[in-house]
Amino acid sequence: MERKRRISGYWSADAGISGGGGGRRAPRLLDEVRRCLRLRHYSLRTEAVYLAWVKRFIRANHRRHPRDMGGREVEAFLSQLAVRGQVAASTQNQALSALLFLYREVLKQDLPWMEQVVRAKRPLKVPSVLSVDEVRRLLAAMDGRAWLMASLIYGSGMRLMECLRLRVKDVDFARGEITVREGKGARDRRTVLPASLGPALQREIERVRALHAADLREGFGRVWLPFALERKYPNAATEPGWQYLFPSEQRSIDPRGGVERRHHLDDQVLSRGMKQAARRIGLAKPVGAHTLRHSFATHLLEAGYDIRTIQELLGHKDVATTQIYTHVLNRGGGGVLSPLDRRP
């Protein structure tokens, strides 16, 4: 208990008493980090990750306040992650982003050393891709909502969280398209809606409507809305169109406002379903939601679709990102025929 109290007191920073007005304590450091993240509309996942890195940085430096540290401590921390922790370059860059946010946005310190911190260079990796037959076998070994989500990701090229955050209104059966809201980089886009999934999605929407009606009868049914939409459209949160396409089985407390509501499914539902299916069919390749997205892009390239079209469907800002899938098509070191396979 004493240790918990000491840590809690430390998080309140060494600011002591705020100036004026009855000796009110200054905001705790982590609370201020959380406030700044929410003010800038960062996702809850990013919020949890950034807070975890801030805590880890402080603990690695014997609980000194970040205001008393600088570039030397940040460099040492990142080096320790790479050398001792042997983390990937993307993980190291994630830690750096969290610390730069802490110093720039929370502590309001724009110091010269910030520009000198070097980000780890991410190696160029060829994505893991399944063949068309492997995708079919994998999906055949799945069922229920996990099968529907996996099929939708492979059929549309969406990212996992883009799929989970879909609202009922974002599925347009008449036009055969899906509208992805607030994708990576806060950009909206449209992608293809697989016609073969129409009946299954219609059944899922009917299930969502029944679940939503039950929530309303019990005095709930207000879904979370982004930004100020709930104030601008007071009744939108209870409308069927705004409900998640893949809602959670249970209601939970929203950490943003303490309101009990129904959120979307946890991403582990799909992850577990795919891993179990891969084991059942004896698939040795690593599989995940992003594997299906990679397979979507590669199979479209194999079918002869233009790379710019695929770029738009995937939501890539730069076509260079999409071009990595051309490496997957180059079989055998640039598509050459091995001399071992050449007939005399």
Side-chain angles (χ1 to χ4, degrees), residues 166-179:
L166 278 179
R167 313 278 181 148
V168 171
K169 66 179 183 60
D170 296 329
V171 181
D172 191 334
F173 292 100
R175 295 177 60 87
E177 64 184 22
I178 295 171
T179 303

Side-chain angles (χ1 to χ4, degrees), residues 27-331:
R28 297 188 301 174
L29 178 60
L30 290 186
D31 288 341
E32 187 62 14
V33 174
R34 186 178 292 108
R35 187 192 69 81
C36 290
L37 285 164
R38 293 183 182 180
L39 182 67
R40 290 159 180 79
H41 305 296
Y42 281 71
S43 71
L44 287 176
R45 292 165 70 93
T46 303
E47 178 183 310
V49 168
Y50 275 28
L51 288 172
W53 280 120
V54 171
K55 291 179 188 177
R56 190 166 170 179
F57 174 63
I58 292 172
R59 286 168 180 158
N61 287 279
H62 310 290
R63 303 187 181 280
R64 292 167 59 198
H65 196 284
R67 203 177 279 117
D68 300 328
M69 297 183 279
R72 184 177 62 181
E73 287 80 6
V74 171
E75 288 278 14
F77 178 68
L78 297 176
S79 298
Q80 186 182 45
L81 288 177
V83 177
R84 291 173 125 193
Q86 296 192 356
V87 301
S90 57
T91 304
Q92 192 181 22
N93 285 332
Q94 184 186 76
L96 174 58
S97 296
L99 296 181
L100 290 181
F101 182 89
L102 170 67
Y103 278 97
R104 285 174 173 160
E105 308 298 339
V106 181
L107 299 179
K108 304 298 182 185
Q109 293 186 11
D110 195 8
L111 302 176
W113 62 262
M114 289 184 179
E115 304 300 330
Q116 298 169 6
V117 177
V118 180
R119 291 183 179 271
K121 187 175 181 180
R122 298 180 63 177
L124 179 64
K125 294 183 179 180
V126 175
S128 176
V129 173
L130 304 180
S131 68
V132 173
D133 181 64
E134 286 172 334
V135 172
R136 287 174 178 164
R137 288 168 50 216
L138 180 70
L139 295 178
M142 301 175 69
D143 56 18
R145 303 170 83 189
W147 165 81
L148 182 54
M149 287 188 291
S151 300
L152 195 56
I153 289 173
Y154 172 65
S156 65
M158 286 187 294
R159 299 176 178 89
L160 172 58
M161 294 311 299
E162 291 172 347
C163 177
L164 291 175
R165 291 169 180 162
L166 278 179
R167 313 278 181 148
V168 171
K169 66 179 183 60
D170 296 329
V171 181
D172 191 334
F173 292 100
R175 295 177 60 87
E177 64 184 22
I178 295 171
T179 303
V180 178
R181 308 284 183 184
E182 295 291 319
K184 192 172 183 179
R187 295 187 298 271
D188 292 356
R189 74 178 190 279
R190 288 187 174 89
T191 187
V192 60
L193 170 64
S196 58
L197 293 181
L201 285 171
Q202 291 281 14
R203 290 193 297 271
E204 184 65 20
I205 290 174
E206 289 304 314
R207 197 188 76 84
V208 171
R209 291 179 185 277
L211 190 63
H212 178 53
D215 282 344
L216 289 173
R217 286 194 298 270
E218 295 177 21
F220 300 98
R222 297 190 66 85
V223 73
W224 178 81
L225 296 182
F227 310 125
L229 283 176
E230 192 160 13
R231 291 195 302 272
K232 190 174 182 180
Y233 305 108
N235 298 322
T238 59
E239 292 177 0
W242 278 98
Q243 306 309 305
Y244 287 112
L245 183 61
F246 298 108
S248 173
E249 296 292 341
Q250 304 291 333
R251 293 190 298 266
S252 57
I253 303 299
D254 188 342
R256 285 191 173 100
V259 179
E260 182 176 342
R261 61 172 104 243
R262 195 177 296 276
H263 204 50
H264 58 66
L265 269 180
D266 188 271
D267 57 354
Q268 289 302 311
V269 173
L270 178 57
S271 179
R272 286 193 295 265
M274 291 188 66
K275 288 178 180 177
Q276 291 169 2
R279 282 195 295 267
R280 279 196 290 269
I281 66 174
L283 187 61
K285 293 179 181 177
V287 294
H290 228 62
T291 310
L292 296 175
R293 177 173 157 89
H294 293 324
S295 302
F296 164 84
T298 304
H299 296 166
L300 286 185
L301 278 173
E302 289 176 336
Y305 285 94
D306 178 72
I307 195 169
R308 292 285 183 180
T309 301
I310 299 172
Q311 176 194 357
E312 291 180 9
L313 294 175
L314 292 173
H316 287 160
K317 186 177 181 180
D318 191 340
V319 72
T321 308
T322 316
Q323 285 174 339
I324 191 163
Y325 298 109
T326 61
H327 295 290
V328 182
L329 298 179
N330 294 334
R331 298 182 178 87

